[in-house]
Amino acid sequence: MKFLLFIPCTFLISVFILGFCDVAAQSIDFYGDPTLSYYLQIGEEFISSLFYTFHVALSSSIAATLIGICLGILLFGSRPVFEKLLMLPIVVPHFVAALLMFNLLSNSGILARIFGDLPTMVFDKYAIGAIIAYIWKGFPFVALLVIASLRRFDFQLFDASRSLGASSLRASFDIILPHVSRSVITGFILLFVFAMGAFEIPFLLGASSPRVLPVMAYSYYTGADENLHRISMAICVLLSIFSLILILPMLRNEENS
Amino acid sequence: MKKILRLSLISLFLSFIVMPIAVMLVWVFAVRWAYPNLLPTSFNFSRLSMIISEYKAIQNSLLIGCISSMFSVLSALPVARALAFAKFKHTKLINILILTPVLLPQISGAIALHRAFLWLGLCDTLIGVVLAHAIMSLPYSVRILTDGYIGIGMRNEEPARDLGAHGLTLFRTITLPLLAPAIFAAVSFAFVISLGQYLTTLFVGGGRFITLPLVLFPLIQNGERGAGAAFASVFVLCGILFCSLLGRSMRHQSINFNGNKNYR
Protein backbone atom coordinates (compact mmCIF):
# COMPACT_ATOMS: atom_id res chain seq x y z
CA MET A 1 0.00 0.00 0.00
CA LYS A 2 2.74 2.35 0.94
CA PHE A 3 4.43 1.67 -2.37
CA LEU A 4 1.82 3.76 -4.10
CA LEU A 5 3.51 6.83 -2.65
CA PHE A 6 6.72 6.00 -4.45
CA ILE A 7 5.12 5.80 -7.85
CA PRO A 8 5.42 9.45 -8.98
CA CYS A 9 9.11 9.64 -8.17
CA THR A 10 9.79 6.24 -9.72
CA PHE A 11 7.89 7.30 -12.81
CA LEU A 12 9.85 10.52 -13.20
CA ILE A 13 13.24 8.90 -12.78
CA SER A 14 12.37 5.93 -15.00
CA VAL A 15 11.30 8.27 -17.76
CA PHE A 16 14.65 9.96 -17.60
CA ILE A 17 16.70 6.78 -17.47
CA LEU A 18 14.69 5.06 -20.19
CA GLY A 19 15.11 8.17 -22.32
CA PHE A 20 18.82 7.87 -21.91
CA CYS A 21 18.74 4.18 -22.76
CA ASP A 22 16.93 5.14 -25.93
CA VAL A 23 19.66 7.64 -26.75
CA ALA A 24 22.27 4.94 -26.26
CA ALA A 25 20.28 2.48 -28.37
CA GLN A 26 19.78 4.99 -31.17
CA SER A 27 23.45 5.81 -31.17
CA ILE A 28 24.25 2.25 -32.20
CA ASP A 29 21.11 2.03 -34.32
CA PHE A 30 19.88 -0.82 -32.18
CA TYR A 31 16.46 -0.92 -33.80
CA GLY A 32 17.80 -0.89 -37.32
CA ASP A 33 21.11 -2.36 -38.09
CA PRO A 34 23.32 -2.37 -34.98
CA THR A 35 26.61 -0.76 -35.75
CA LEU A 36 29.28 1.32 -34.13
CA SER A 37 29.72 3.40 -37.27
CA TYR A 38 28.18 6.52 -35.79
CA TYR A 39 30.86 6.57 -33.15
CA LEU A 40 33.52 6.32 -35.80
CA GLN A 41 31.92 9.06 -37.86
CA ILE A 42 32.46 11.61 -35.16
CA GLY A 43 35.64 12.40 -36.91
CA GLU A 44 38.53 14.79 -36.58
CA GLU A 45 36.51 17.67 -35.29
CA PHE A 46 35.92 15.51 -32.25
CA ILE A 47 39.54 15.58 -31.13
CA SER A 48 39.92 19.35 -31.30
CA SER A 49 36.51 19.77 -29.69
CA LEU A 50 37.47 17.37 -26.94
CA PHE A 51 40.60 19.35 -26.14
CA TYR A 52 38.71 22.63 -26.25
CA THR A 53 36.02 21.28 -23.94
CA PHE A 54 38.66 19.90 -21.60
CA HIS A 55 40.49 23.20 -21.55
CA VAL A 56 37.38 25.19 -20.74
CA ALA A 57 36.18 22.76 -18.08
CA LEU A 58 39.52 22.17 -16.39
CA SER A 59 40.70 25.79 -16.25
CA SER A 60 37.42 27.10 -14.98
CA SER A 61 37.00 24.36 -12.38
CA ILE A 62 40.51 24.69 -10.98
CA ALA A 63 40.28 28.47 -10.79
CA ALA A 64 36.80 28.38 -9.28
CA THR A 65 37.91 25.83 -6.69
CA LEU A 66 40.98 27.78 -5.62
CA ILE A 67 39.09 31.06 -5.38
CA GLY A 68 36.25 29.28 -3.60
CA ILE A 69 38.55 27.81 -0.96
CA CYS A 70 40.05 31.23 -0.24
CA LEU A 71 36.70 32.90 -0.04
CA GLY A 72 35.20 30.12 2.06
CA ILE A 73 37.96 30.38 4.64
CA LEU A 74 37.79 34.17 4.62
CA LEU A 75 34.03 34.26 5.04
CA PHE A 76 33.71 31.60 7.71
CA GLY A 77 32.09 33.00 10.81
CA SER A 78 31.03 36.27 9.28
CA ARG A 79 27.56 37.64 8.86
CA PRO A 80 24.83 35.57 7.14
CA VAL A 81 24.29 38.21 4.48
CA PHE A 82 27.52 37.16 2.81
CA GLU A 83 26.32 33.59 2.49
CA LYS A 84 23.14 34.82 0.94
CA LEU A 85 25.17 36.81 -1.54
CA LEU A 86 27.14 33.69 -2.36
CA MET A 87 23.96 31.85 -3.21
CA LEU A 88 23.06 34.39 -5.88
CA PRO A 89 25.35 33.17 -8.68
CA ILE A 90 24.28 29.61 -7.94
CA VAL A 91 20.61 30.43 -8.34
CA VAL A 92 20.96 32.55 -11.46
CA PRO A 93 20.76 30.50 -14.69
CA HIS A 94 23.84 29.92 -16.84
CA PHE A 95 22.67 31.95 -19.80
CA VAL A 96 22.27 34.96 -17.52
CA ALA A 97 25.85 34.44 -16.37
CA ALA A 98 26.81 34.38 -20.04
CA LEU A 99 25.06 37.70 -20.62
CA LEU A 100 26.76 39.22 -17.59
CA MET A 101 30.19 38.24 -18.84
CA PHE A 102 29.33 39.39 -22.34
CA ASN A 103 28.52 42.82 -20.99
CA LEU A 104 31.76 42.85 -19.11
CA LEU A 105 34.24 41.31 -21.45
CA SER A 106 33.22 41.85 -25.02
CA ASN A 107 35.00 44.28 -27.27
CA SER A 108 32.49 46.98 -26.47
CA GLY A 109 31.97 45.81 -22.91
CA ILE A 110 32.58 47.66 -19.71
CA LEU A 111 36.15 46.48 -19.17
CA ALA A 112 37.09 47.48 -22.69
CA ARG A 113 35.67 50.93 -22.03
CA ILE A 114 37.62 51.34 -18.82
CA PHE A 115 40.93 49.88 -19.85
CA GLY A 116 41.03 50.55 -23.57
CA ASP A 117 42.58 47.79 -25.64
CA LEU A 118 42.06 44.34 -24.27
CA PRO A 119 42.61 41.00 -25.96
CA THR A 120 39.54 39.35 -27.39
CA MET A 121 37.87 37.43 -24.65
CA VAL A 122 34.60 36.44 -26.21
CA PHE A 123 34.23 33.97 -29.09
CA ASP A 124 37.98 33.49 -28.94
CA LYS A 125 39.88 30.27 -29.25
CA TYR A 126 40.97 30.35 -25.61
CA ALA A 127 37.37 30.75 -24.46
CA ILE A 128 38.41 33.23 -21.78
CA GLY A 129 34.92 34.70 -21.54
CA ALA A 130 33.33 31.29 -21.11
CA ILE A 131 35.90 30.30 -18.50
CA ILE A 132 35.30 33.46 -16.50
CA ALA A 133 31.55 32.89 -16.70
CA TYR A 134 31.99 29.39 -15.31
CA ILE A 135 34.26 30.75 -12.59
CA TRP A 136 31.64 33.34 -11.67
CA LYS A 137 29.07 30.58 -11.29
CA GLY A 138 31.44 28.14 -9.65
CA PHE A 139 33.48 29.81 -6.94
CA PRO A 140 30.51 30.72 -4.71
CA PHE A 141 29.46 27.07 -4.83
CA VAL A 142 32.86 25.90 -3.63
CA ALA A 143 32.94 28.66 -1.01
CA LEU A 144 29.61 27.50 0.39
CA LEU A 145 30.83 23.90 0.50
CA VAL A 146 33.94 25.02 2.37
CA ILE A 147 31.90 27.03 4.87
CA ALA A 148 29.56 24.09 5.45
CA SER A 149 32.55 21.82 5.95
CA LEU A 150 34.16 24.23 8.40
CA ARG A 151 30.95 24.29 10.41
CA ARG A 152 31.36 20.59 11.06
CA PHE A 153 34.97 21.00 12.05
CA ASP A 154 36.00 20.72 15.64
CA PHE A 155 38.14 23.74 16.20
CA GLN A 156 39.53 22.31 19.39
CA LEU A 157 41.83 20.27 17.20
CA PHE A 158 43.13 23.51 15.77
CA ASP A 159 43.67 24.99 19.23
CA ALA A 160 45.34 21.80 20.38
CA SER A 161 47.86 21.92 17.57
CA ARG A 162 48.52 25.58 18.22
CA SER A 163 49.14 24.82 21.87
CA LEU A 164 51.61 22.14 20.83
CA GLY A 165 53.57 24.78 18.97
CA ALA A 166 52.30 24.86 15.40
CA SER A 167 52.05 28.25 13.77
CA SER A 168 48.68 29.46 12.58
CA LEU A 169 49.54 28.84 8.95
CA ARG A 170 50.99 25.41 9.62
CA ALA A 171 48.00 24.34 11.66
CA SER A 172 45.68 25.54 8.90
CA PHE A 173 47.46 23.51 6.30
CA ASP A 174 47.91 20.33 8.27
CA ILE A 175 44.62 20.23 10.08
CA ILE A 176 41.91 22.32 8.48
CA LEU A 177 42.75 21.75 4.84
CA PRO A 178 42.54 17.93 4.94
CA HIS A 179 39.15 18.16 6.62
CA VAL A 180 37.91 20.59 4.03
CA SER A 181 39.50 18.73 1.15
CA ARG A 182 36.77 16.15 0.89
CA SER A 183 34.09 18.76 0.20
CA VAL A 184 36.46 20.67 -2.02
CA ILE A 185 37.26 17.68 -4.19
CA THR A 186 33.56 16.89 -4.47
CA GLY A 187 32.91 20.47 -5.55
CA PHE A 188 35.73 20.41 -8.06
CA ILE A 189 34.57 17.19 -9.67
CA LEU A 190 30.99 18.44 -9.85
CA LEU A 191 32.08 21.70 -11.48
CA PHE A 192 34.40 19.94 -13.92
CA VAL A 193 31.91 17.32 -14.99
CA PHE A 194 29.19 19.93 -15.37
CA ALA A 195 31.37 22.15 -17.51
CA MET A 196 32.31 19.21 -19.72
CA GLY A 197 28.67 18.57 -20.51
CA ALA A 198 27.13 22.01 -20.36
CA PHE A 199 25.89 23.82 -23.39
CA GLU A 200 24.60 27.29 -22.58
CA ILE A 201 27.73 29.22 -21.68
CA PRO A 202 30.02 27.95 -24.45
CA PHE A 203 27.23 28.32 -27.00
CA LEU A 204 26.76 31.96 -26.11
CA LEU A 205 30.34 32.94 -25.34
CA GLY A 206 32.62 30.39 -26.93
CA ALA A 207 34.15 30.23 -30.38
CA SER A 208 32.34 28.59 -33.27
CA SER A 209 35.47 26.74 -34.20
CA PRO A 210 36.65 24.80 -32.37
CA ARG A 211 33.41 24.28 -30.53
CA VAL A 212 32.76 22.56 -27.29
CA LEU A 213 31.45 18.97 -27.50
CA PRO A 214 28.00 19.71 -26.06
CA VAL A 215 27.54 22.52 -28.60
CA MET A 216 28.56 20.13 -31.34
CA ALA A 217 26.02 17.59 -30.12
CA TYR A 218 23.36 20.30 -29.98
CA SER A 219 23.96 21.51 -33.54
CA TYR A 220 23.91 17.99 -34.89
CA TYR A 221 20.75 17.13 -32.99
CA THR A 222 18.88 20.19 -34.15
CA GLY A 223 19.79 19.68 -37.78
CA ALA A 224 17.59 17.87 -40.23
CA ASP A 225 19.95 15.04 -41.07
CA GLU A 226 19.06 11.78 -39.32
CA ASN A 227 22.64 10.59 -39.43
CA LEU A 228 23.75 13.66 -37.56
CA HIS A 229 21.13 12.95 -34.92
CA ARG A 230 22.68 9.59 -34.25
CA ILE A 231 26.17 11.04 -34.20
CA SER A 232 25.06 13.60 -31.66
CA MET A 233 23.61 10.81 -29.52
CA ALA A 234 26.92 9.01 -29.77
CA ILE A 235 28.63 12.14 -28.45
CA CYS A 236 26.10 12.28 -25.62
CA VAL A 237 26.77 8.69 -24.67
CA LEU A 238 30.51 9.30 -24.61
CA LEU A 239 30.11 12.42 -22.49
CA SER A 240 27.82 10.54 -20.13
CA ILE A 241 30.24 7.66 -19.70
CA PHE A 242 32.99 10.16 -18.98
CA SER A 243 30.88 11.95 -16.37
CA LEU A 244 29.83 8.74 -14.68
CA ILE A 245 33.40 7.48 -14.52
CA LEU A 246 34.40 10.61 -12.67
CA ILE A 247 31.43 11.02 -10.40
CA LEU A 248 30.52 7.52 -9.28
CA PRO A 249 33.72 6.82 -7.33
CA MET A 250 33.30 10.15 -5.61
CA LEU A 251 29.75 9.26 -4.62
CA ARG A 252 30.86 5.92 -3.22
CA ASN A 253 33.48 7.66 -1.13
CA GLU A 254 31.00 10.16 0.16
CA GLU A 255 28.64 7.47 1.36
CA ASN A 256 31.41 5.73 3.21
CA SER A 257 32.41 8.78 5.22
CA MET B 1 46.40 44.81 9.69
CA LYS B 2 45.24 41.25 9.26
CA LYS B 3 41.67 42.39 9.55
CA ILE B 4 42.13 44.99 6.83
CA LEU B 5 43.68 42.41 4.54
CA ARG B 6 40.82 40.04 5.18
CA LEU B 7 38.18 42.70 4.57
CA SER B 8 39.79 43.92 1.38
CA LEU B 9 40.11 40.40 -0.01
CA ILE B 10 36.49 39.69 0.85
CA SER B 11 35.39 42.91 -0.86
CA LEU B 12 37.44 42.03 -3.92
CA PHE B 13 35.79 38.64 -4.31
CA LEU B 14 32.31 39.85 -3.50
CA SER B 15 32.58 42.72 -5.93
CA PHE B 16 33.43 40.17 -8.60
CA ILE B 17 30.02 38.71 -7.87
CA VAL B 18 28.15 41.97 -7.66
CA MET B 19 29.73 44.16 -10.31
CA PRO B 20 28.52 42.31 -13.41
CA ILE B 21 25.01 42.37 -11.99
CA ALA B 22 25.25 46.10 -11.32
CA VAL B 23 26.43 46.76 -14.87
CA MET B 24 23.57 44.71 -16.23
CA LEU B 25 21.05 46.62 -14.14
CA VAL B 26 22.33 49.86 -15.63
CA TRP B 27 21.82 48.35 -19.07
CA VAL B 28 18.15 47.81 -18.28
CA PHE B 29 17.55 51.52 -18.20
CA ALA B 30 20.15 52.69 -20.70
CA VAL B 31 18.74 53.54 -24.08
CA ARG B 32 21.86 54.90 -25.67
CA TRP B 33 25.13 53.59 -24.31
CA ALA B 34 27.60 53.51 -27.13
CA TYR B 35 31.23 52.53 -26.87
CA PRO B 36 33.44 54.06 -25.43
CA ASN B 37 31.24 55.92 -22.97
CA LEU B 38 31.48 54.86 -19.36
CA LEU B 39 27.94 55.91 -18.60
CA PRO B 40 24.85 55.82 -20.76
CA THR B 41 23.94 58.97 -22.58
CA SER B 42 20.24 58.52 -22.22
CA PHE B 43 18.07 56.69 -19.73
CA ASN B 44 14.47 55.83 -19.59
CA PHE B 45 12.06 53.19 -18.42
CA SER B 46 10.99 52.01 -21.83
CA ARG B 47 12.49 48.58 -21.36
CA LEU B 48 10.15 47.86 -18.51
CA SER B 49 7.25 47.97 -20.93
CA MET B 50 9.22 45.54 -23.08
CA ILE B 51 9.22 43.10 -20.20
CA ILE B 52 5.51 43.55 -19.66
CA SER B 53 4.77 43.02 -23.34
CA GLU B 54 6.11 39.49 -22.96
CA TYR B 55 3.58 38.74 -20.26
CA LYS B 56 2.67 35.46 -21.97
CA ALA B 57 6.16 34.16 -21.43
CA ILE B 58 6.18 35.35 -17.84
CA GLN B 59 2.82 33.70 -17.30
CA ASN B 60 4.08 30.43 -18.77
CA SER B 61 7.23 30.50 -16.69
CA LEU B 62 5.35 31.15 -13.48
CA LEU B 63 2.68 28.57 -14.18
CA ILE B 64 5.10 25.86 -15.20
CA GLY B 65 7.38 26.76 -12.33
CA CYS B 66 4.68 26.53 -9.70
CA ILE B 67 3.18 23.28 -10.93
CA SER B 68 6.46 21.52 -11.56
CA SER B 69 7.99 22.55 -8.24
CA MET B 70 4.97 21.36 -6.29
CA PHE B 71 4.86 18.10 -8.19
CA SER B 72 8.56 17.63 -7.68
CA VAL B 73 8.32 18.13 -3.92
CA LEU B 74 5.21 15.97 -3.54
CA SER B 75 6.93 13.16 -5.42
CA ALA B 76 10.07 13.62 -3.41
CA LEU B 77 8.54 13.57 0.08
CA PRO B 78 7.93 9.83 0.46
CA VAL B 79 11.23 8.95 -1.14
CA ALA B 80 13.13 11.41 1.02
CA ARG B 81 11.60 9.91 4.13
CA ALA B 82 12.51 6.42 3.02
CA LEU B 83 16.08 7.44 2.26
CA ALA B 84 16.40 9.21 5.60
CA PHE B 85 15.01 6.52 7.89
CA ALA B 86 14.52 3.19 6.22
CA LYS B 87 17.27 0.71 6.74
CA PHE B 88 17.64 -1.34 3.67
CA LYS B 89 20.51 -2.45 1.56
CA HIS B 90 20.17 -0.45 -1.57
CA THR B 91 19.93 3.16 -0.43
CA LYS B 92 23.16 4.01 -2.22
CA LEU B 93 21.89 2.71 -5.53
CA ILE B 94 18.57 4.50 -5.17
CA ASN B 95 20.42 7.68 -4.33
CA ILE B 96 22.51 7.42 -7.46
CA LEU B 97 19.48 6.67 -9.62
CA ILE B 98 17.68 9.69 -8.27
CA LEU B 99 20.74 11.83 -8.87
CA THR B 100 20.86 10.80 -12.54
CA PRO B 101 19.53 14.10 -13.95
CA VAL B 102 22.38 15.88 -12.19
CA LEU B 103 25.04 13.27 -12.94
CA LEU B 104 24.47 13.10 -16.65
CA PRO B 105 25.68 16.00 -18.78
CA GLN B 106 23.18 18.71 -19.52
CA ILE B 107 23.02 18.03 -23.24
CA SER B 108 22.61 14.28 -22.76
CA GLY B 109 19.81 14.88 -20.29
CA ALA B 110 17.97 17.21 -22.63
CA ILE B 111 18.18 14.82 -25.57
CA ALA B 112 17.22 11.88 -23.34
CA LEU B 113 14.15 13.75 -22.13
CA HIS B 114 13.21 14.61 -25.68
CA ARG B 115 13.40 10.97 -26.77
CA ALA B 116 11.48 9.80 -23.72
CA PHE B 117 8.70 12.31 -24.12
CA LEU B 118 8.45 11.63 -27.85
CA TRP B 119 7.86 8.01 -26.96
CA LEU B 120 5.31 8.98 -24.31
CA GLY B 121 3.55 11.24 -26.77
CA LEU B 122 3.87 14.14 -24.36
CA CYS B 123 5.99 16.43 -26.50
CA ASP B 124 4.49 19.82 -27.30
CA THR B 125 2.16 19.55 -24.32
CA LEU B 126 2.07 21.52 -21.11
CA ILE B 127 2.05 18.36 -19.03
CA GLY B 128 5.19 17.23 -20.81
CA VAL B 129 7.06 20.43 -20.04
CA VAL B 130 5.91 20.38 -16.42
CA LEU B 131 6.99 16.76 -15.98
CA ALA B 132 10.31 17.45 -17.66
CA HIS B 133 11.02 20.33 -15.30
CA ALA B 134 9.96 18.18 -12.36
CA ILE B 135 12.45 15.51 -13.43
CA MET B 136 15.28 18.02 -13.58
CA SER B 137 14.49 19.41 -10.14
CA LEU B 138 13.74 16.07 -8.47
CA PRO B 139 17.32 15.27 -7.33
CA TYR B 140 17.55 18.60 -5.53
CA SER B 141 14.12 18.23 -3.93
CA VAL B 142 14.95 14.76 -2.68
CA ARG B 143 18.28 15.88 -1.28
CA ILE B 144 16.87 18.93 0.52
CA LEU B 145 13.98 16.94 1.96
CA THR B 146 16.19 14.03 3.00
CA ASP B 147 18.42 16.42 4.90
CA GLY B 148 15.30 17.94 6.40
CA TYR B 149 13.99 14.58 7.56
CA ILE B 150 17.35 13.61 9.03
CA GLY B 151 17.35 16.93 10.81
CA ILE B 152 14.05 16.42 12.54
CA GLY B 153 14.59 12.76 13.30
CA MET B 154 11.96 10.22 14.21
CA ARG B 155 11.77 10.94 17.89
CA ASN B 156 8.95 13.42 17.48
CA GLU B 157 6.81 10.91 15.68
CA GLU B 158 7.18 7.99 18.02
CA PRO B 159 5.12 9.32 20.93
CA ALA B 160 2.37 10.32 18.52
CA ARG B 161 2.47 6.89 16.95
CA ASP B 162 2.19 5.25 20.35
CA LEU B 163 -0.89 7.33 20.99
CA GLY B 164 -2.51 6.04 17.84
CA ALA B 165 -1.82 8.58 15.14
CA HIS B 166 -0.59 7.32 11.82
CA GLY B 167 -0.54 8.09 8.13
CA LEU B 168 -1.92 11.42 7.05
CA THR B 169 -2.82 12.58 10.55
CA LEU B 170 0.68 11.90 11.75
CA PHE B 171 2.15 13.72 8.80
CA ARG B 172 -0.16 16.70 9.08
CA THR B 173 0.18 17.26 12.83
CA ILE B 174 3.75 16.27 13.59
CA THR B 175 5.99 15.98 10.54
CA LEU B 176 4.69 18.82 8.42
CA PRO B 177 5.23 21.67 10.89
CA LEU B 178 8.74 20.43 11.62
CA LEU B 179 9.57 19.85 7.98
CA ALA B 180 8.11 23.16 6.82
CA PRO B 181 11.42 25.02 6.35
CA ALA B 182 12.83 22.16 4.29
CA ILE B 183 9.67 21.92 2.23
CA PHE B 184 9.74 25.64 1.61
CA ALA B 185 13.40 25.44 0.60
CA ALA B 186 12.73 22.49 -1.71
CA VAL B 187 9.76 24.14 -3.42
CA SER B 188 11.64 27.40 -3.90
CA PHE B 189 14.73 25.70 -5.26
CA ALA B 190 12.67 23.53 -7.61
CA PHE B 191 10.90 26.68 -8.78
CA VAL B 192 14.17 28.44 -9.46
CA ILE B 193 15.48 25.44 -11.36
CA SER B 194 12.33 25.31 -13.46
CA LEU B 195 12.58 29.03 -14.16
CA GLY B 196 16.06 28.59 -15.61
CA GLN B 197 15.39 25.59 -17.84
CA TYR B 198 16.18 26.33 -21.48
CA LEU B 199 17.05 23.20 -23.43
CA THR B 200 14.42 21.15 -21.63
CA THR B 201 11.60 23.54 -22.48
CA LEU B 202 12.89 23.96 -25.99
CA PHE B 203 13.09 20.25 -26.77
CA VAL B 204 10.08 18.94 -24.91
CA GLY B 205 7.90 21.94 -25.55
CA GLY B 206 8.88 22.01 -29.18
CA GLY B 207 8.85 25.78 -29.25
CA ARG B 208 5.16 25.82 -28.46
CA PHE B 209 5.61 27.03 -24.92
CA ILE B 210 7.56 30.22 -24.72
CA THR B 211 9.06 30.72 -21.31
CA LEU B 212 11.38 33.46 -20.11
CA PRO B 213 14.59 31.59 -20.95
CA LEU B 214 13.35 31.03 -24.48
CA VAL B 215 12.77 34.76 -24.84
CA LEU B 216 16.11 35.68 -23.38
CA PHE B 217 18.36 33.18 -25.12
CA PRO B 218 18.00 34.54 -28.68
CA LEU B 219 18.46 38.07 -27.37
CA ILE B 220 21.81 37.09 -25.88
CA GLN B 221 22.78 35.23 -29.04
CA ASN B 222 22.21 38.35 -31.07
CA GLY B 223 24.11 40.52 -28.66
CA GLU B 224 21.03 42.53 -27.72
CA ARG B 225 22.40 43.91 -24.52
CA GLY B 226 19.62 46.19 -23.46
CA ALA B 227 16.70 43.89 -24.09
CA GLY B 228 18.70 40.98 -22.75
CA ALA B 229 19.46 42.88 -19.58
CA ALA B 230 15.79 43.67 -19.10
CA PHE B 231 14.76 40.02 -19.07
CA ALA B 232 17.85 38.82 -17.29
CA SER B 233 17.05 41.17 -14.45
CA VAL B 234 13.84 39.20 -13.87
CA PHE B 235 15.99 36.17 -13.15
CA VAL B 236 18.31 38.15 -10.96
CA LEU B 237 15.40 39.56 -8.98
CA CYS B 238 13.97 36.09 -8.47
CA GLY B 239 17.40 34.96 -7.38
CA ILE B 240 17.70 37.79 -4.88
CA LEU B 241 14.25 36.99 -3.56
CA PHE B 242 15.21 33.35 -3.17
CA CYS B 243 18.47 34.13 -1.40
CA SER B 244 16.96 36.58 1.05
CA LEU B 245 14.07 34.29 1.96
CA LEU B 246 16.11 31.17 2.23
CA GLY B 247 19.39 32.17 3.75
CA ARG B 248 17.77 32.16 7.11
CA SER B 249 15.99 28.85 6.93
CA MET B 250 19.10 27.06 5.73
CA ARG B 251 21.01 28.34 8.66
CA HIS B 252 18.37 27.10 11.05
CA GLN B 253 18.49 23.81 9.33
CA SER B 254 22.17 23.33 9.88
CA ILE B 255 21.71 24.02 13.58
CA ASN B 256 18.94 21.43 13.75
CA PHE B 257 21.04 18.96 11.86
CA ASN B 258 23.88 19.17 14.33
CA GLY B 259 21.50 18.83 17.23
CA ASN B 260 19.57 15.77 16.13
CA LYS B 261 22.09 14.07 13.97
CA ASN B 262 22.82 11.11 16.16
CA TYR B 263 19.32 10.20 17.07
CA ARG B 264 17.33 8.04 14.74
Side-chain angles (χ1 to χ4, degrees):
Chain A
M1 170 57 202
K2 227 179 170 184
F3 290 109
L4 284 182
L5 287 175
F6 295 135
I7 288 182
C9 180
T10 318
F11 171 70
L12 291 178
I13 294 293
S14 319
V15 163
F16 186 81
I17 294 183
L18 289 176
F20 180 71
C21 292
D22 186 52
V23 168
Q26 294 285 348
S27 72
I28 57 174
D29 200 5
F30 183 73
Y31 300 111
D33 176 23
T35 164
L36 280 181
S37 71
Y38 296 106
Y39 284 86
L40 301 173
Q41 280 179 48
I42 298 179
E44 307 143 13
E45 198 197 341
F46 180 76
I47 298 293
S48 55
S49 284
L50 182 65
F51 279 124
Y52 193 58
T53 317
F54 218 77
H55 156 73
V56 169
L58 199 62
S59 330
S60 62
S61 310
I62 291 182
T65 306
L66 292 175
I67 300 178
I69 295 177
C70 295
L71 189 58
I73 295 180
L74 285 173
L75 276 183
F76 178 68
S78 55
R79 276 174 273 169
V81 68
F82 291 132
E83 281 180 54
K84 297 186 193 183
L85 188 59
L86 284 184
M87 277 206 281
L88 188 58
I90 296 178
V91 162
V92 156
H94 285 270
F95 47 86
V96 171
L99 176 66
L100 292 176
M101 292 309 139
F102 183 75
N103 278 341
L104 222 56
L105 303 170
S106 72
N107 284 333
S108 54
I110 283 293
L111 286 187
R113 298 180 196 205
I114 298 180
F115 294 113
D117 253 326
L118 284 179
T120 316
M121 287 191 274
V122 185
F123 313 129
D124 63 320
K125 67 178 175 129
Y126 295 113
I128 298 182
I131 291 177
I132 296 185
Y134 276 127
I135 293 177
W136 187 84
K137 282 276 292 176
F139 82 88
F141 173 67
V142 176
L144 282 178
L145 284 180
V146 167
I147 293 179
S149 173
L150 284 176
R151 283 223 181 93
R152 295 192 289 266
F153 180 66
D154 184 2
F155 275 91
Q156 290 184 348
L157 292 171
F158 183 77
D159 295 334
S161 74
R162 292 270 285 140
S163 74
L164 288 171
S167 73
S168 205
L169 200 63
R170 185 73 202 262
S172 305
F173 264 89
D174 284 346
I175 308 222
I176 295 186
L177 222 49
H179 176 86
V180 165
S181 70
R182 170 167 276 136
S183 302
V184 162
I185 292 181
T186 304
F188 169 76
I189 292 182
L190 283 175
L191 285 181
F192 177 66
V193 162
F194 184 84
M196 285 291 294
F199 151 83
E200 293 168 8
I201 289 182
F203 185 74
L204 293 171
L205 290 178
S208 38
S209 165
R211 38 187 187 173
V212 169
L213 281 178
V215 171
M216 199 165 117
Y218 171 80
S219 339
Y220 284 178
Y221 193 69
T222 49
D225 189 352
E226 270 282 327
N227 272 336
L228 289 183
H229 288 189
R230 292 189 201 273
I231 298 182
S232 95
M233 294 193 215
I235 299 178
C236 287
V237 170
L238 290 176
L239 281 175
S240 308
I241 294 178
F242 180 77
S243 304
L244 288 175
I245 289 180
L246 284 184
I247 296 193
L248 285 180
M250 174 196 91
L251 277 184
R252 296 255 170 88
N253 265 338
E254 200 181 82
E255 300 288 343
N256 288 333
S257 72
Chain B
M1 175 55 200
K2 216 173 173 188
K3 199 162 187 184
I4 298 180
L5 184 64
R6 182 176 176 222
L7 278 178
S8 49
L9 276 177
I10 292 181
S11 332
L12 186 69
F13 288 134
L14 292 183
S15 60
F16 178 38
I17 295 182
V18 173
M19 189 187 66
I21 297 182
V23 169
M24 185 200 75
L25 287 176
V26 176
W27 266 106
V28 178
F29 301 107
V31 173
R32 270 194 69 72
W33 196 3
Y35 181 84
N37 301 328
L38 272 186
L39 282 178
T41 43
S42 87
F43 280 92
N44 66 41
F45 289 99
S46 63
R47 294 239 171 72
L48 293 182
S49 63
M50 190 190 290
I51 301 180
I52 300 181
S53 72
E54 290 283 356
Y55 70 93
K56 201 79 176 66
I58 298 182
Q59 204 177 11
N60 277 338
S61 277
L62 285 179
L63 183 69
I64 295 176
C66 288
I67 303 181
S68 78
S69 59
M70 286 197 286
F71 187 66
S72 173
V73 167
L74 286 176
S75 314
L77 274 172
V79 179
R81 190 197 157 87
L83 284 175
F85 299 141
K87 298 182 177 96
F88 75 114
K89 257 191 347 184
H90 300 294
T91 33
K92 260 191 231 177
L93 179 63
I94 306 259
N95 223 345
I96 292 180
L97 286 179
I98 292 182
L99 280 179
T100 317
V102 168
L103 298 183
L104 289 187
Q106 192 186 31
I107 184 76
S108 303
I111 296 183
L113 279 178
H114 187 220
R115 304 296 309 176
F117 278 84
L118 270 178
W119 179 77
L120 283 174
L122 284 177
C123 267
D124 291 8
T125 66
L126 185 65
I127 299 183
V129 177
V130 166
L131 286 179
H133 285 204
I135 293 177
M136 297 310 285
S137 64
L138 192 65
Y140 302 101
S141 303
V142 170
R143 182 53 86 102
I144 294 178
L145 290 173
T146 309
D147 285 347
Y149 267 114
I150 294 180
I152 64 179
M154 284 207 293
R155 74 172 169 191
N156 296 297
E157 287 181 5
E158 283 168 9
R161 239 185 245 278
D162 290 341
L163 289 171
H166 49 259
L168 201 55
T169 316
L170 185 67
F171 183 76
R172 184 171 48 87
T173 53
I174 307 281
T175 318
L176 192 56
L178 287 172
L179 203 58
I183 294 182
F184 182 59
V187 171
S188 310
F189 200 64
F191 182 83
V192 161
I193 298 235
S194 165
L195 204 65
Q197 288 292 315
Y198 171 69
L199 270 187
T200 316
T201 323
L202 185 65
F203 281 173
V204 177
R208 238 190 101 193
F209 294 95
I210 305 293
T211 55
L212 276 177
L214 269 84
V215 171
L216 182 52
F217 210 82
L219 290 176
I220 305 179
Q221 257 181 296
N222 295 328
E224 297 258 3
R225 270 190 270 236
F231 290 102
S233 55
V234 176
F235 291 100
V236 171
L237 282 175
C238 285
I240 294 179
L241 192 65
F242 175 87
C243 292
S244 50
L245 286 179
L246 250 77
R248 178 197 282 195
S249 90
M250 288 200 151
R251 226 168 183 237
H252 284 175
Q253 209 168 349
S254 70
I255 295 175
N256 274 333
F257 183 86
N258 283 324
N260 295 329
K261 185 169 65 168
N262 292 319
Y263 186 88
R264 279 272 180 114

